Amino acid sequence: MNHSRFVIVILACIHLVLFSCQQKKEPRELNLPKTDLSQADLIPKPTTIQATNTAFPLDKYTIITTLKDSTGFADVGTFLANSIKDIARLDLSINADAQDQESIIYIKRSDSLARGNKKEAYQLKIGTDSIVLSAASAAGAFRGIQTLRQLIPLKANDTITENPVWPIPTGTIDDAPQFVYRGAMLDVARHFFTVEEVKKYIDLLAYYKYNTLHLHLTDDQGWRIEIKSWPKLTEVAGQTEVGDEPGGFYSQQDYKDIVSYATKNYMTIVPEVDMPGHTNSASVAYPFLNGNGKTPEIYRGTHVGFSTFDTRKDSVYDFIDDVVREISAITPGPYFHIGGDESHATKKSDYIYFVNKVEKIVQKYDKKMIGWDEIATADVDSNSIVQFWASADNARKAVEKDMQIIMSPAKKAYLDMKYDLQSEYGLNWAGYVPVDTAYIWKPENYENIPLKNILGIEAPLWSETISNSSELEYLAFPRAIGFAELNWSTPENRDWKNYKVRLGNQGPFLEKMNVNYYPSPLIDWKTEEEPIEKINKD
Ligand code: ACM
């Protein structure tokens, strides 16, 4: 072969390789199913939905384009691409040069969508060849992505063809949350949960548009967060938990890893160090804290109300200052939770003195103090936040002080209450909380607390009876999904009969995510993706 023929052959080969690598568009015959956006199984229910009854063809030719500046929209696009890879095993390109694409998902900023405190508002306009997701912030775009994920069928319309299509129903969704604080709490103190277990919980909560995870980091049975200036907290108090299991703790690096994972999911971590009660483990590590001169025994039981810090000793406040300083330095969110519940071993006057002193420490480190509802009995600042769990009287005291309130009434919102007599895990001191009881209540006027004082709902999960993801999921799911809707959707958009159908249809997603949900007999659970009705062509 002479030189020029050799070059021509090489060029032809290169052309062939390039050409065959391209996702070449072919004329498509789409036999898309009938789809009605207004009937989609979305949880939480969006503010408004207008259906146009056709379908957007998500397939390998779809591309994702986002605003490319540093405001986080491109990361949200990457999150969507990864979600689509999980569901559909499609590897969509992000922000590649688009030429003549048949279907595009465009994620953009629209400042006009941010009204008042609705910073997470978004609009999703789904047409037959484009999906435009607009939001005032990347957080809003992230919430919109969760809606889009819920609209993608777990199975393609035709798995035999070379180009399967995941049809997405068309129309427009305008949406914004009712409450700015949409939280869950996990007690990692009674039983320790690993970083990976916490991350899986974050994945599931983010899918339902939660934006806050409160970690109950310390209690009588164990201390779970490394404090560099007080190493025995984890060397000693991190090694025990309820029962015989070995406990555990988060190094500051582990905690930062959780915080950064939460941040990628647009979730805020709220750290809680419970005091002056619930402090037996801290006093096992440093006996001067309890002020009675005795080293307490390690406690592996589940009673409450027997421990207290010495509230009249300066060294106790020096200790608390170090703890709040070190944790605040690795917590980007605005809150620090001081517990403050069930301090039955603390004199009333000492309790009030203590809460006021600790509030000042929290404020010194630029955080807003949150405490369980007992803190409303102290002389607290109106900027601090009360978490209503047991006493409506305390919640009303908070209203009188014009404080914001997080709604977690145990009778409705405690995820550790048993569902019913058959429940494998959980307690029942606040009663049984079946799936309908958890959903059918109005946080908007519960116990006459005015709406303007309500920051949002938080669903606490105490871990006396659970010690791993599977047990956690049994208690949290499906009830946590209902709290997502109570938090996000306004009362006009909530209805038990309608909700329970949408909830039953979460079955295939929960199974795909390996979630050990409680299959409540109140719900008609769908167990696998059933074929979607095809358009009748004639
Ligand atoms: C609590 O359940 N002790 C806040």
Side-chain angles (χ1 to χ4, degrees):
M1 201 187 294
N2 69 27
H3 181 73
S4 59
R5 280 196 46 204
F6 179 73
V7 170
I8 289 167
V9 169
I10 292 291
L11 284 175
C13 286
I14 291 173
H15 182 78
L16 203 74
V17 168
L18 284 178
F19 187 75
S20 58
C21 280
Q22 265 174 12
Q23 294 285 37
K24 175 99 172 67
K25 238 172 35 185
E26 282 143 30
R28 288 183 291 168
E29 265 223 14
L30 295 174
N31 179 21
L32 292 181
K34 196 190 282 181
T35 53
D36 180 352
L37 187 62
S38 68
Q39 299 303 310
D41 296 314
L42 296 171
I43 302 181
K45 186 95 171 165
T47 312
T48 64
I49 304 178
Q50 280 167 338
T52 49
N53 302 316
T54 52
F56 171 92
L58 174 70
D59 65 4
K60 65 184 179 191
Y61 301 116
T62 306
I63 61 161
I64 301 172
T65 306
T66 73
L67 181 69
K68 294 185 200 61
D69 67 10
S70 60
T71 49
F73 282 76
D75 292 341
V76 171
T78 304
F79 186 98
L80 175 64
N82 289 336
S83 302
I84 290 174
K85 204 183 285 175
D86 281 351
I87 301 172
R89 273 181 243 107
L90 290 173
D91 225 338
L92 302 192
S93 73
I94 311 169
N95 291 331
D97 283 340
Q99 278 169 12
D100 196 20
Q101 283 298 324
E102 282 191 19
S103 58
I104 178 164
I105 301 173
Y106 183 37
I107 304 174
K108 70 181 192 38
R109 186 163 66 220
S110 168
D111 292 334
S112 64
L113 281 172
R115 289 177 291 267
N117 64 358
K118 306 282 187 211
K119 301 208 166 36
E120 296 166 275
Y122 70 91
Q123 184 190 61
L124 205 44
K125 257 185 184 305
I126 306 170
T128 50
D129 55 9
S130 70
I131 295 180
V132 181
L133 168 60
S134 318
S137 65
F142 186 81
R143 306 302 168 218
I145 292 296
Q146 307 316 314
T147 304
L148 192 48
R149 284 174 77 192
Q150 293 190 8
L151 290 171
I152 302 172
L154 293 183
K155 288 203 180 126
N157 67 328
D158 186 349
T159 44
I160 300 164
T161 146
E162 245 177 54
N163 179 30
V165 174
W166 284 256
I168 299 179
T170 55
T172 301
I173 292 177
D174 271 294
D175 202 9
Q178 168 169 235
F179 292 119
V180 294
Y181 183 110
R182 303 182 304 278
M185 185 211 83
L186 181 61
D187 171 8
V188 296
R190 266 51 173 275
H191 280 102
F192 181 64
F193 289 81
T194 64
V195 172
E196 289 314 308
E197 287 172 323
V198 174
K199 286 184 180 174
K200 185 176 178 198
Y201 199 29
I202 288 175
D203 288 340
L204 294 167
L205 294 169
Y207 185 74
Y208 295 105
K209 302 190 175 74
Y210 278 76
N211 66 1
T212 309
L213 178 63
H214 162 188
L215 292 174
H216 180 78
L217 291 165
T218 69
D219 213 305
D220 290 318
Q221 299 84 349
W223 183 286
R224 308 288 174 221
I225 175 81
E226 175 189 24
I227 302 296
K228 292 186 193 291
S229 50
W230 298 88
K232 283 197 208 162
L233 287 171
T234 44
E235 285 167 15
V236 175
Q239 312 299 324
T240 52
E241 61 183 11
V242 167
D244 299 330
E245 287 137 301
F249 67 89
Y250 307 122
S251 65
Q252 292 202 356
Q253 195 50 48
D254 291 337
Y255 179 84
K256 284 189 206 165
D257 186 17
I258 293 173
V259 165
S260 131
Y261 195 79
T263 305
K264 288 197 185 94
N265 284 275
Y266 290 87
M267 282 174 72
T268 299
I269 294 291
V270 177
E272 177 186 349
V273 172
D274 201 350
M275 48 194 167
H278 291 275
T279 47
N280 188 76
S281 68
S283 296
V284 169
Y286 293 104
F288 78 91
L289 290 168
N290 73 8
N292 66 12
K294 294 189 199 131
T295 302
E297 297 281 309
I298 286 168
Y299 186 65
R300 297 172 187 275
T302 58
H303 291 299
V304 298
F306 59 88
S307 56
T308 183
F309 278 164
D310 183 340
T311 60
R312 300 285 169 173
K313 210 191 249 170
D314 287 346
S315 54
V316 169
Y317 296 101
D318 293 341
F319 166 85
I320 293 170
D321 193 291
D322 286 337
V323 169
V324 176
R325 174 177 52 76
E326 288 198 31
I327 296 176
S328 295
I330 52 175
T331 301
Y335 308 114
F336 193 101
H337 200 306
I338 67 147
D341 57 322
E342 299 173 313
S343 297
H344 307 318
T346 319
K347 274 202 245 131
K348 177 98 192 143
S349 55
D350 290 347
Y351 178 82
I352 292 170
Y353 177 78
F354 179 86
V355 170
N356 293 343
K357 295 259 301 180
V358 175
E359 182 180 63
K360 304 251 158 18
I361 297 173
V362 169
Q363 290 173 345
K364 176 172 144 196
Y365 293 108
D366 263 346
K367 300 291 177 198
K368 264 190 195 192
M369 183 176 84
I370 306 179
W372 297 105
D373 62 52
E374 290 93 328
I375 67 154
T377 63
D379 180 22
V380 278
D381 193 301
S382 62
N383 258 328
S384 294
I385 296 160
V386 159
Q387 185 163 10
F388 171 26
W389 69 282
S391 163
D393 283 346
N394 286 343
R396 281 189 279 272
K397 282 195 181 90
V399 172
E400 278 160 29
K401 293 176 208 269
D402 204 23
M403 299 173 76
Q404 290 296 105
I405 299 175
I406 296 167
M407 300 292 284
S408 307
K411 283 186 253 178
K412 299 288 183 188
Y414 265 32
L415 289 170
D416 59 309
M417 289 302 113
K418 290 183 169 185
Y419 293 90
D420 49 38
L421 286 166
Q422 277 76 49
S423 278
E424 276 180 64
Y425 304 101
L427 304 170
N428 63 1
W429 60 262
Y432 294 97
V433 182
V435 179
D436 51 354
T437 301
Y439 182 85
I440 306 172
W441 62 290
K442 267 198 166 174
E444 293 82 3
N445 58 7
Y446 189 75
E447 295 283 4
N448 294 324
I449 295 162
L451 187 55
K452 71 174 179 39
N453 289 86
I454 300 175
L455 199 59
I457 307 169
E458 183 178 289
L461 179 48
W462 301 96
S463 64
E464 285 94 336
T465 66
I466 57 168
S467 62
N468 56 44
S469 272
S470 160
E471 295 163 5
L472 175 166
E473 288 161 9
Y474 178 93
L475 286 175
F477 295 97
R479 288 177 294 194
I481 302 174
F483 299 130
E485 181 146 302
L486 292 185
N487 249 328
W488 183 279
S489 313
T490 48
E492 316 81 76
N493 271 328
R494 302 197 308 255
D495 169 65
W496 166 248
K497 280 215 179 89
N498 176 282
Y499 169 73
K500 75 180 196 182
V501 175
R502 285 179 287 126
L503 179 59
N505 292 344
Q506 303 300 302
F509 168 76
L510 295 173
E511 275 156 33
K512 183 175 157 47
M513 298 291 285
N514 275 323
V515 176
N516 180 38
Y517 66 96
Y518 170 63
S520 162
L522 300 176
I523 306 298
D524 184 9
W525 293 100
K526 182 165 150 190
T527 50
E528 62 180 58
E529 195 73 342
E530 282 146 21
I532 312 167
E533 195 191 339
K534 290 273 160 71
I535 286 178
N536 191 341
K537 284 257 163 184
D538 36 67

